[in-house]
Amino acid sequence: MLCVLKHVLIEYGPDREAHIDAAARAILETFPEATLEVAQGLLDDDLLIEARIPLRRANEWPAVSRRAHALQFGTLAA
């Protein structure tokens, strides 16, 4: 299966672990076959969720990314 690598930025903050969990849930609800890894971001305090999703479903990523970020910043109920 061909995959594409996508990222969700997780900024430093008191609820970072909850943000990681919420973003991972949002990704895996849409892409259950995705593989996820948490990696260091560009800034020392930031992390990235690296999601490998099927290339054939890459057009679905923008909606999932918006949902993952909304959950992180509290603009969408978990």
Side-chain angles (χ1 to χ4, degrees):
M1 168 176 56
L2 293 175
C3 292
V4 61
L5 182 64
K6 296 293 188 174
H7 295 94
V8 174
L9 176 66
I10 304 293
E11 295 180 357
Y12 180 78
D15 296 328
R16 182 163 40 182
E17 291 300 319
H19 296 159
I20 292 170
D21 292 343
R25 270 193 316 276
I27 295 166
L28 292 173
E29 284 173 1
T30 303
F31 305 107
E33 67 277 32
T35 59
L36 305 179
E37 186 175 327
V38 177
Q40 182 63 45
L42 292 176
L43 301 176
D44 288 342
D45 293 335
D46 291 341
L47 297 175
L48 294 173
I49 295 178
E50 294 183 342
R52 286 169 180 77
I53 63 170
L55 179 61
R56 71 183 185 286
R57 297 185 63 197
N59 62 333
E60 298 174 57
W61 178 256
V64 174
S65 177
R66 282 190 299 275
R67 183 161 191 259
H69 282 97
L71 289 168
Q72 180 180 177
F73 295 110
T75 56
L76 181 66

